[in-house]
Amino acid sequence: MHFNTKYNNPDRQQIIELLASEGDEKKCLFEEAARVKKEHVGDIVYFRGLIEFSNKCHKNCLYCGIRSGNRKVFRYDLTDGEIIDSARFAFDNRYGSIVLQSGELESEAFVKRIDRLLTKINSATNGGLRITLSCGEQTADVYRRWFENGAQRYLLRIETSNPVLYSRLHPDNRKHSFNRRVECLHDLRKTGYQTGTGVMIGLPFQTTADLADDILFMQQNDMVMIGMGPYLEHADTPLYRYRSLLLPQIKRFDLTLKMIAVLRIIMRDINIAATTAMQVIDKLGREKAIMAGANVIMPNITPGTYRDDYLLYDGKPCTDENPEDCKTCLEARIALTGNEIAPGEWGDSAHYSF
Ligand code: SAM
Ligand code: SF4
């Protein structure tokens, strides 16, 4: 059985069909995604060292374990020295790129801190690392400042492209507005960032049609990097009360693999991440994502002592491992997928132009 060519450039209805595929059809979908990946981005995996530098957040997203309303969380900030050491670790180990991720804050002190960190990291590594920021919604001016200070990429997930579903996942106030989220993605692109987005898969109330629309949203907004992962419940969040509506985790995982494969077929030369949330459900989750079309992996290089406090969902892995352990085990695992790591390469998305 071969992949049906009518799905080469699928419309909304055809994406829904692909996401529902099972058996031989699903196998063909994964084979086609692997073929497209090989042809357009190669059997290569890029590393992005993930530094979760602070879990302080002024937002209260209903799904997230580090939301401001969760009083059980111990709030931390890595020191500048710890962040720069982690960046140096990434550089010395030829990761090529890092992601600085945190809760969302909008104070001038926070904005200045990022300015300073960007300058220090670039000088400590001779500008040898691509730096991605993932620090939430900011003004266009702030995005520009950080870009001018040396950040080249920005990740801001739309979470879901359905505004009604978005409003069920967030408190109903100005700080959590769908339109503002979309505006931020436009500002990021206009500023010149390699802009990435993504969604959670298997959310309560989410339909397959929503997921098809998510893929079309990514395509219509010409995103160059995508990070999608299964939604995972956290007992200390308001969304937990809907857990009986959720698909079993293994089905959310399977749906995520299909989303990756369909996206690869539609947006051939973008970067797609194999996300940590996949590993929570299946120990080989990220490897399976790579085989379904992903080409980026984000090893967590946050100093071990802080990782237990950045728990977005229950069951997050690797909290008792140090960065070296993660790197060694990942290298061996990627070799098993038939892909090669590109040491020291920035791995800019071939889709990016500005
Ligand atoms: N605060 C920034 C933001 O929201 O863009 C960056 C950090 S935030 C923790 C990064 C991503 O974690 C969010 O975009 C969301 O998709 C994901 N996330 C949060 N809670 C999650 C959950 N329960 N299951 C899966 N992913 C989750
Ligand atoms: Fe804060 Fe991001 Fe979590 Fe929302 S998803 S509560 S903005 S850390």
Side-chain angles (χ1 to χ4, degrees):
M1 188 172 179
H2 293 289
F3 186 72
N4 192 328
T5 49
K6 77 175 181 187
Y7 290 121
N8 279 347
N9 195 8
D11 61 20
R12 184 174 187 263
Q13 185 49 39
Q14 289 171 325
I15 294 174
I16 294 172
E17 286 165 22
L18 286 171
L19 294 177
S21 61
E22 289 300 338
D24 282 349
E25 284 174 356
K26 183 167 91 175
K27 196 164 155 259
C28 285
L29 167 66
F30 291 151
E31 281 169 6
E32 177 65 5
R35 191 195 65 73
V36 169
K37 178 183 163 197
K38 193 183 184 75
E39 187 179 327
H40 291 269
V41 292
D43 283 334
I44 290 172
V45 172
Y46 300 107
F47 272 13
R48 321 292 193 214
L50 175 65
I51 308 172
E52 296 163 337
F53 68 92
S54 171
N55 65 357
K56 294 183 180 164
C57 188
H58 73 154
K59 276 204 174 160
N60 223 351
C61 308
L62 304 182
Y63 43 83
C64 178
I66 61 170
R67 62 200 297 273
S68 60
N70 186 359
R71 306 271 174 242
K72 291 189 190 163
V73 177
F74 166 78
R75 302 286 165 178
Y76 73 86
D77 255 321
L78 261 63
T79 63
D80 284 10
E82 286 169 325
I83 298 170
I84 288 150
D85 284 350
S86 299
R88 234 188 244 116
F89 170 89
F91 184 62
D92 292 345
N93 285 278
R94 312 201 63 208
Y95 277 22
S97 177
I98 55 170
V99 180
L100 292 179
Q101 190 178 81
S102 68
E104 184 180 304
L105 293 176
E106 57 185 3
S107 64
E108 183 58 19
F110 179 76
V111 173
K112 275 202 179 126
R113 179 165 197 230
I114 306 288
D115 283 341
R116 189 175 68 232
L117 281 169
L118 289 166
T119 310
K120 282 189 183 172
I121 291 171
N122 275 320
S123 103
T125 58
N126 270 330
L129 286 175
R130 277 282 194 246
I131 306 177
T132 304
L133 293 177
S134 175
C135 305
E137 293 170 19
Q138 305 289 338
T139 63
D141 274 352
V142 168
Y143 286 147
R144 187 167 335 100
R145 249 169 87 171
W146 290 345
F147 187 73
E148 284 165 1
N149 277 305
Q152 299 93 355
R153 304 177 180 147
Y154 206 101
L155 280 177
L156 182 70
R157 285 184 175 183
I158 188 71
E159 315 296 1
T160 169
S161 62
N162 177 342
V164 177
L165 178 55
Y166 192 94
S167 70
R168 299 184 87 164
L169 305 175
H170 296 92
D172 178 19
N173 59 35
R174 271 185 44 243
K175 228 190 239 176
H176 297 86
S177 139
F178 177 81
N179 290 341
R180 166 111 178 87
R181 196 85 166 174
V182 174
E183 233 174 71
C184 282
L185 284 170
H186 290 162
D187 287 343
L188 286 164
R189 278 193 64 206
K190 259 193 284 164
T191 309
Y193 283 98
Q194 297 173 41
T195 306
T197 194
V199 293
M200 287 178 284
I201 295 161
L203 288 158
F205 317 112
Q206 189 179 46
T207 64
T208 314
D210 288 331
L211 292 171
D213 288 336
D214 291 343
I215 288 187
L216 294 171
F217 175 93
M218 294 165 193
Q219 187 186 29
Q220 279 151 12
N221 287 280
D222 208 25
M223 294 286 116
V224 301
M225 322 183 282
I226 297 297
M228 302 181 282
Y231 161 68
L232 293 167
E233 51 275 49
H234 187 300
D236 297 318
T237 58
L239 216 60
Y240 193 65
R241 79 173 72 109
Y242 299 114
R243 62 192 178 283
S244 65
L245 302 181
L246 299 173
L247 288 172
Q249 286 202 347
I250 194 68
K251 293 244 182 224
R252 282 177 251 165
F253 178 83
D254 192 53
L255 203 47
T256 306
L257 285 182
K258 289 190 245 182
M259 284 285 285
I260 290 173
V262 174
L263 188 67
R264 174 59 71 201
I265 289 167
I266 296 179
M267 298 187 76
R268 304 179 158 234
D269 56 356
I270 61 168
N271 284 340
I272 304 178
T275 55
T276 314
M278 301 202 70
Q279 195 191 355
V280 173
I281 299 180
D282 181 330
K283 277 202 165 31
L284 293 175
R286 288 176 303 178
E287 292 78 354
K288 290 180 181 171
I290 286 167
M291 292 170 80
N295 66 332
V296 166
I297 202 155
M298 293 161 66
N300 194 336
I301 57 167
T302 309
T305 40
Y306 295 101
R307 290 194 211 171
D308 284 330
D309 300 308
Y310 201 88
L311 294 184
L312 310 179
Y313 38 75
D314 296 330
K316 193 171 164 218
C318 258
T319 52
D320 55 0
E321 290 184 359
N322 63 34
E324 288 85 351
D325 288 343
C326 278
K327 180 168 181 277
T328 315
C329 71
L330 274 174
E331 277 170 353
R333 287 159 152 224
I334 284 167
L336 291 174
T337 67
N339 282 255
E340 264 177 71
I341 296 163
E345 281 190 36
W346 286 339
D348 286 336
S349 165
H351 197 76
Y352 170 77
S353 63
F354 187 68

mmCIF file of all heavy atoms in Angstrom, residues 54-69 75 101-105 134-137 156 159 170 175-176 181 200 310 312, ligand 2:
data_model
loop_
_atom_site.group_PDB
_atom_site.id
_atom_site.type_symbol
_atom_site.label_atom_id
_atom_site.label_comp_id
_atom_site.label_asym_id
_atom_site.label_seq_id
_atom_site.Cartn_x
_atom_site.Cartn_y
_atom_site.Cartn_z
ATOM 1 N N SER A 54 13.447 30.411 34.989
ATOM 2 C CA SER A 54 12.609 30.917 36.081
ATOM 3 C C SER A 54 11.196 30.360 35.942
ATOM 4 O O SER A 54 10.680 30.244 34.832
ATOM 5 C CB SER A 54 12.557 32.454 36.044
ATOM 6 O OG SER A 54 11.581 32.912 36.961
ATOM 7 N N ASN A 55 10.577 30.035 37.073
ATOM 8 C CA ASN A 55 9.186 29.558 37.014
ATOM 9 C C ASN A 55 8.230 30.608 37.578
ATOM 10 O O ASN A 55 7.081 30.295 37.886
ATOM 11 C CB ASN A 55 9.024 28.217 37.743
ATOM 12 C CG ASN A 55 9.287 28.352 39.233
ATOM 13 O OD1 ASN A 55 9.649 29.417 39.712
ATOM 14 N ND2 ASN A 55 9.108 27.261 39.963
ATOM 15 N N LYS A 56 8.726 31.857 37.702
ATOM 16 C CA LYS A 56 7.835 32.918 38.179
ATOM 17 C C LYS A 56 6.958 33.360 37.007
ATOM 18 O O LYS A 56 7.474 33.614 35.910
ATOM 19 C CB LYS A 56 8.654 34.097 38.701
ATOM 20 C CG LYS A 56 9.437 33.695 39.939
ATOM 21 C CD LYS A 56 10.199 34.860 40.527
ATOM 22 C CE LYS A 56 10.964 34.380 41.756
ATOM 23 N NZ LYS A 56 12.010 35.307 42.177
ATOM 24 N N CYS A 57 5.663 33.464 37.239
ATOM 25 C CA CYS A 57 4.753 33.768 36.138
ATOM 26 C C CYS A 57 3.589 34.597 36.648
ATOM 27 O O CYS A 57 3.032 34.304 37.705
ATOM 28 C CB CYS A 57 4.243 32.461 35.525
ATOM 29 S SG CYS A 57 3.292 32.770 34.027
ATOM 30 N N HIS A 58 3.207 35.618 35.865
ATOM 31 C CA HIS A 58 2.053 36.423 36.286
ATOM 32 C C HIS A 58 0.758 35.940 35.659
ATOM 33 O O HIS A 58 -0.292 36.542 35.847
ATOM 34 C CB HIS A 58 2.310 37.918 36.004
ATOM 35 C CG HIS A 58 2.249 38.278 34.543
ATOM 36 N ND1 HIS A 58 1.928 39.536 34.102
ATOM 37 C CD2 HIS A 58 2.477 37.559 33.430
ATOM 38 C CE1 HIS A 58 1.967 39.560 32.772
ATOM 39 N NE2 HIS A 58 2.307 38.387 32.344
ATOM 40 N N LYS A 59 0.835 34.855 34.911
ATOM 41 C CA LYS A 59 -0.375 34.337 34.263
ATOM 42 C C LYS A 59 -0.935 33.141 34.998
ATOM 43 O O LYS A 59 -0.257 32.550 35.847
ATOM 44 C CB LYS A 59 -0.036 33.953 32.832
ATOM 45 C CG LYS A 59 -0.087 35.127 31.909
ATOM 46 C CD LYS A 59 -0.336 34.620 30.534
ATOM 47 C CE LYS A 59 -0.540 35.738 29.578
ATOM 48 N NZ LYS A 59 -0.308 35.259 28.223
ATOM 49 N N ASN A 60 -2.128 32.764 34.591
ATOM 50 C CA ASN A 60 -2.846 31.739 35.358
ATOM 51 C C ASN A 60 -3.518 30.741 34.415
ATOM 52 O O ASN A 60 -4.664 30.327 34.663
ATOM 53 C CB ASN A 60 -3.892 32.456 36.217
ATOM 54 C CG ASN A 60 -3.928 31.898 37.612
ATOM 55 O OD1 ASN A 60 -3.299 30.872 37.899
ATOM 56 N ND2 ASN A 60 -4.680 32.548 38.480
ATOM 57 N N CYS A 61 -2.801 30.339 33.367
ATOM 58 C CA CYS A 61 -3.362 29.415 32.373
ATOM 59 C C CYS A 61 -3.889 28.172 33.105
ATOM 60 O O CYS A 61 -3.213 27.632 33.982
ATOM 61 C CB CYS A 61 -2.291 29.035 31.358
ATOM 62 S SG CYS A 61 -1.463 30.473 30.638
ATOM 63 N N LEU A 62 -5.077 27.729 32.727
ATOM 64 C CA LEU A 62 -5.788 26.734 33.547
ATOM 65 C C LEU A 62 -5.181 25.331 33.489
ATOM 66 O O LEU A 62 -5.572 24.465 34.256
ATOM 67 C CB LEU A 62 -7.263 26.676 33.124
ATOM 68 C CG LEU A 62 -8.030 28.011 33.182
ATOM 69 C CD1 LEU A 62 -9.486 27.815 32.791
ATOM 70 C CD2 LEU A 62 -7.940 28.642 34.572
ATOM 71 N N TYR A 63 -4.237 25.123 32.560
ATOM 72 C CA TYR A 63 -3.642 23.784 32.363
ATOM 73 C C TYR A 63 -2.251 23.657 32.974
ATOM 74 O O TYR A 63 -1.727 22.555 33.072
ATOM 75 C CB TYR A 63 -3.536 23.489 30.851
ATOM 76 C CG TYR A 63 -3.043 24.694 30.049
ATOM 77 C CD1 TYR A 63 -1.698 24.996 29.941
ATOM 78 C CD2 TYR A 63 -3.952 25.560 29.436
ATOM 79 C CE1 TYR A 63 -1.263 26.098 29.228
ATOM 80 C CE2 TYR A 63 -3.532 26.669 28.721
ATOM 81 C CZ TYR A 63 -2.180 26.938 28.629
ATOM 82 O OH TYR A 63 -1.756 28.042 27.943
ATOM 83 N N CYS A 64 -1.638 24.754 33.373
ATOM 84 C CA CYS A 64 -0.187 24.763 33.620
ATOM 85 C C CYS A 64 0.150 24.663 35.107
ATOM 86 O O CYS A 64 -0.368 25.433 35.923
ATOM 87 C CB CYS A 64 0.398 26.031 33.014
ATOM 88 S SG CYS A 64 2.166 26.198 33.310
ATOM 89 N N GLY A 65 1.058 23.752 35.432
ATOM 90 C CA GLY A 65 1.435 23.509 36.823
ATOM 91 C C GLY A 65 2.112 24.681 37.502
ATOM 92 O O GLY A 65 2.080 24.795 38.733
ATOM 93 N N ILE A 66 2.742 25.579 36.734
ATOM 94 C CA ILE A 66 3.442 26.706 37.379
ATOM 95 C C ILE A 66 2.651 28.014 37.265
ATOM 96 O O ILE A 66 3.181 29.098 37.444
ATOM 97 C CB ILE A 66 4.900 26.876 36.864
ATOM 98 C CG1 ILE A 66 4.937 27.172 35.354
ATOM 99 C CG2 ILE A 66 5.726 25.641 37.187
ATOM 100 C CD1 ILE A 66 6.333 27.576 34.857
ATOM 101 N N ARG A 67 1.366 27.899 36.979
ATOM 102 C CA ARG A 67 0.469 29.073 36.943
ATOM 103 C C ARG A 67 0.559 29.831 38.265
ATOM 104 O O ARG A 67 0.830 29.243 39.327
ATOM 105 C CB ARG A 67 -0.968 28.616 36.671
ATOM 106 C CG ARG A 67 -1.529 27.709 37.746
ATOM 107 C CD ARG A 67 -2.707 26.909 37.225
ATOM 108 N NE ARG A 67 -3.802 27.776 36.850
ATOM 109 C CZ ARG A 67 -4.743 28.212 37.681
ATOM 110 N NH1 ARG A 67 -4.727 27.859 38.959
ATOM 111 N NH2 ARG A 67 -5.690 29.000 37.261
ATOM 112 N N SER A 68 0.318 31.129 38.201
ATOM 113 C CA SER A 68 0.524 31.959 39.402
ATOM 114 C C SER A 68 -0.365 31.509 40.557
ATOM 115 O O SER A 68 0.001 31.647 41.721
ATOM 116 C CB SER A 68 0.276 33.434 39.078
ATOM 117 O OG SER A 68 -1.052 33.594 38.627
ATOM 118 N N GLY A 69 -1.544 30.943 40.242
ATOM 119 C CA GLY A 69 -2.476 30.538 41.306
ATOM 120 C C GLY A 69 -2.053 29.284 42.053
ATOM 121 O O GLY A 69 -2.681 28.951 43.059
ATOM 122 N N ARG A 75 8.990 29.048 44.016
ATOM 123 C CA ARG A 75 9.373 29.896 42.870
ATOM 124 C C ARG A 75 10.878 30.144 42.875
ATOM 125 O O ARG A 75 11.458 30.475 43.906
ATOM 126 C CB ARG A 75 8.627 31.235 42.921
ATOM 127 C CG ARG A 75 7.107 31.090 42.927
ATOM 128 C CD ARG A 75 6.562 30.703 41.568
ATOM 129 N NE ARG A 75 5.174 30.225 41.665
ATOM 130 C CZ ARG A 75 4.428 29.860 40.631
ATOM 131 N NH1 ARG A 75 4.910 29.901 39.410
ATOM 132 N NH2 ARG A 75 3.206 29.424 40.789
ATOM 133 N N GLN A 101 13.801 29.620 28.505
ATOM 134 C CA GLN A 101 12.347 29.589 28.723
ATOM 135 C C GLN A 101 12.008 29.933 30.172
ATOM 136 O O GLN A 101 12.757 29.607 31.089
ATOM 137 C CB GLN A 101 11.794 28.200 28.383
ATOM 138 C CG GLN A 101 10.284 28.189 28.361
ATOM 139 C CD GLN A 101 9.699 26.840 27.980
ATOM 140 O OE1 GLN A 101 9.594 25.954 28.800
ATOM 141 N NE2 GLN A 101 9.316 26.705 26.731
ATOM 142 N N SER A 102 10.870 30.585 30.346
ATOM 143 C CA SER A 102 10.463 30.989 31.701
ATOM 144 C C SER A 102 8.956 31.191 31.746
ATOM 145 O O SER A 102 8.278 31.155 30.711
ATOM 146 C CB SER A 102 11.138 32.317 32.075
ATOM 147 O OG SER A 102 10.610 33.356 31.281
ATOM 148 N N GLY A 103 8.472 31.455 32.943
ATOM 149 C CA GLY A 103 7.121 31.964 33.080
ATOM 150 C C GLY A 103 7.078 33.348 32.435
ATOM 151 O O GLY A 103 8.102 33.879 31.996
ATOM 152 N N GLU A 104 5.892 33.930 32.376
ATOM 153 C CA GLU A 104 5.762 35.232 31.717
ATOM 154 C C GLU A 104 5.741 36.348 32.756
ATOM 155 O O GLU A 104 4.939 36.306 33.690
ATOM 156 C CB GLU A 104 4.460 35.240 30.909
ATOM 157 C CG GLU A 104 4.276 36.504 30.105
ATOM 158 C CD GLU A 104 2.974 36.469 29.312
ATOM 159 O OE1 GLU A 104 2.750 35.535 28.531
ATOM 160 O OE2 GLU A 104 2.185 37.410 29.492
ATOM 161 N N LEU A 105 6.652 37.309 32.590
ATOM 162 C CA LEU A 105 6.653 38.502 33.442
ATOM 163 C C LEU A 105 6.798 39.693 32.517
ATOM 164 O O LEU A 105 7.370 39.570 31.435
ATOM 165 C CB LEU A 105 7.833 38.475 34.422
ATOM 166 C CG LEU A 105 7.814 37.397 35.525
ATOM 167 C CD1 LEU A 105 9.094 37.457 36.343
ATOM 168 C CD2 LEU A 105 6.597 37.528 36.432
ATOM 169 N N SER A 134 11.696 32.025 24.937
ATOM 170 C CA SER A 134 10.317 31.562 25.100
ATOM 171 C C SER A 134 9.841 32.131 26.431
ATOM 172 O O SER A 134 9.825 31.451 27.447
ATOM 173 C CB SER A 134 10.289 30.027 25.080
ATOM 174 O OG SER A 134 8.994 29.555 25.344
ATOM 175 N N CYS A 135 9.510 33.410 26.400
ATOM 176 C CA CYS A 135 9.169 34.150 27.621
ATOM 177 C C CYS A 135 7.800 34.823 27.481
ATOM 178 O O CYS A 135 7.548 35.876 28.081
ATOM 179 C CB CYS A 135 10.241 35.191 27.918
ATOM 180 S SG CYS A 135 11.902 34.530 28.023
ATOM 181 N N GLY A 136 6.972 34.257 26.652
ATOM 182 C CA GLY A 136 5.578 34.690 26.605
ATOM 183 C C GLY A 136 5.308 35.967 25.823
ATOM 184 O O GLY A 136 6.099 36.390 24.980
ATOM 185 N N GLU A 137 4.152 36.570 26.138
ATOM 186 C CA GLU A 137 3.680 37.751 25.406
ATOM 187 C C GLU A 137 4.367 39.004 25.943
ATOM 188 O O GLU A 137 4.398 39.231 27.152
ATOM 189 C CB GLU A 137 2.166 37.877 25.594
ATOM 190 C CG GLU A 137 1.422 36.740 24.922
ATOM 191 C CD GLU A 137 -0.056 36.706 25.296
ATOM 192 O OE1 GLU A 137 -0.590 37.723 25.764
ATOM 193 O OE2 GLU A 137 -0.669 35.635 25.128
ATOM 194 N N LEU A 156 6.401 30.898 20.792
ATOM 195 C CA LEU A 156 5.180 31.287 21.505
ATOM 196 C C LEU A 156 4.049 30.415 20.964
ATOM 197 O O LEU A 156 3.568 30.625 19.842
ATOM 198 C CB LEU A 156 4.884 32.773 21.262
ATOM 199 C CG LEU A 156 3.658 33.330 21.987
ATOM 200 C CD1 LEU A 156 3.892 33.414 23.502
ATOM 201 C CD2 LEU A 156 3.310 34.725 21.458
ATOM 202 N N GLU A 159 -1.288 27.490 21.455
ATOM 203 C CA GLU A 159 -1.953 26.493 22.341
ATOM 204 C C GLU A 159 -3.131 25.815 21.647
ATOM 205 O O GLU A 159 -3.254 24.608 21.657
ATOM 206 C CB GLU A 159 -2.410 27.096 23.694
ATOM 207 C CG GLU A 159 -1.385 27.995 24.397
ATOM 208 C CD GLU A 159 -0.103 27.308 24.841
ATOM 209 O OE1 GLU A 159 0.067 26.113 24.608
ATOM 210 O OE2 GLU A 159 0.771 27.999 25.398
ATOM 211 N N HIS A 170 -8.231 29.330 29.524
ATOM 212 C CA HIS A 170 -7.589 30.498 30.155
ATOM 213 C C HIS A 170 -8.622 31.293 30.938
ATOM 214 O O HIS A 170 -9.810 31.291 30.573
ATOM 215 C CB HIS A 170 -6.954 31.406 29.080
ATOM 216 C CG HIS A 170 -5.838 30.741 28.333
ATOM 217 N ND1 HIS A 170 -6.050 30.042 27.156
ATOM 218 C CD2 HIS A 170 -4.524 30.629 28.608
ATOM 219 C CE1 HIS A 170 -4.879 29.543 26.736
ATOM 220 N NE2 HIS A 170 -3.939 29.880 27.595
ATOM 221 N N LYS A 175 -5.373 39.728 30.259
ATOM 222 C CA LYS A 175 -4.046 39.106 30.280
ATOM 223 C C LYS A 175 -4.008 37.791 29.496
ATOM 224 O O LYS A 175 -2.951 37.270 29.198
ATOM 225 C CB LYS A 175 -3.707 38.805 31.746
ATOM 226 C CG LYS A 175 -2.329 39.249 32.172
ATOM 227 C CD LYS A 175 -2.027 38.684 33.530
ATOM 228 C CE LYS A 175 -1.752 39.781 34.533
ATOM 229 N NZ LYS A 175 -1.545 39.240 35.873
ATOM 230 N N HIS A 176 -5.170 37.233 29.228
ATOM 231 C CA HIS A 176 -5.212 35.907 28.583
ATOM 232 C C HIS A 176 -6.054 35.961 27.312
ATOM 233 O O HIS A 176 -6.981 35.179 27.135
ATOM 234 C CB HIS A 176 -5.795 34.871 29.546
ATOM 235 C CG HIS A 176 -4.989 34.653 30.786
ATOM 236 N ND1 HIS A 176 -5.111 35.425 31.915
ATOM 237 C CD2 HIS A 176 -4.036 33.739 31.075
ATOM 238 C CE1 HIS A 176 -4.269 34.992 32.843
ATOM 239 N NE2 HIS A 176 -3.612 33.971 32.366
ATOM 240 N N ARG A 181 -2.527 37.081 21.632
ATOM 241 C CA ARG A 181 -1.570 36.007 21.314
ATOM 242 C C ARG A 181 -1.223 36.040 19.819
ATOM 243 O O ARG A 181 -0.067 35.964 19.427
ATOM 244 C CB ARG A 181 -2.236 34.676 21.676
ATOM 245 C CG ARG A 181 -1.311 33.509 21.779
ATOM 246 C CD ARG A 181 -0.740 33.512 23.150
ATOM 247 N NE ARG A 181 -0.089 32.271 23.474
ATOM 248 C CZ ARG A 181 0.582 32.113 24.600
ATOM 249 N NH1 ARG A 181 0.674 33.079 25.486
ATOM 250 N NH2 ARG A 181 1.172 30.985 24.852
ATOM 251 N N MET A 200 -1.168 22.233 22.119
ATOM 252 C CA MET A 200 -1.285 21.016 22.920
ATOM 253 C C MET A 200 -2.318 20.114 22.264
ATOM 254 O O MET A 200 -3.316 20.599 21.726
ATOM 255 C CB MET A 200 -1.700 21.373 24.350
ATOM 256 C CG MET A 200 -0.570 22.003 25.142
ATOM 257 S SD MET A 200 -1.087 22.484 26.794
ATOM 258 C CE MET A 200 -2.007 23.967 26.438
ATOM 259 N N TYR A 310 9.945 23.092 37.985
ATOM 260 C CA TYR A 310 9.390 23.537 36.702
ATOM 261 C C TYR A 310 8.491 22.418 36.189
ATOM 262 O O TYR A 310 8.694 21.862 35.119
ATOM 263 C CB TYR A 310 10.519 23.836 35.710
ATOM 264 C CG TYR A 310 10.122 24.756 34.566
ATOM 265 C CD1 TYR A 310 10.226 26.140 34.689
ATOM 266 C CD2 TYR A 310 9.645 24.252 33.362
ATOM 267 C CE1 TYR A 310 9.859 26.983 33.647
ATOM 268 C CE2 TYR A 310 9.284 25.088 32.316
ATOM 269 C CZ TYR A 310 9.399 26.456 32.468
ATOM 270 O OH TYR A 310 9.049 27.296 31.418
ATOM 271 N N LEU A 312 5.298 21.488 34.708
ATOM 272 C CA LEU A 312 4.129 21.962 33.978
ATOM 273 C C LEU A 312 3.004 20.951 34.086
ATOM 274 O O LEU A 312 1.832 21.288 34.036
ATOM 275 C CB LEU A 312 4.476 22.150 32.502
ATOM 276 C CG LEU A 312 5.738 22.952 32.210
ATOM 277 C CD1 LEU A 312 5.961 23.026 30.719
ATOM 278 C CD2 LEU A 312 5.628 24.334 32.820
HETATM 279 FE FE1 SF4 B 2 2.733 30.998 32.767
HETATM 280 FE FE2 SF4 B 2 3.422 29.933 30.387
HETATM 281 FE FE3 SF4 B 2 2.389 28.404 32.364
HETATM 282 FE FE4 SF4 B 2 0.790 30.144 31.130
HETATM 283 S S1 SF4 B 2 1.836 28.338 30.194
HETATM 284 S S2 SF4 B 2 0.941 29.838 33.337
HETATM 285 S S3 SF4 B 2 2.226 31.828 30.741
HETATM 286 S S4 SF4 B 2 4.343 29.471 32.375
#
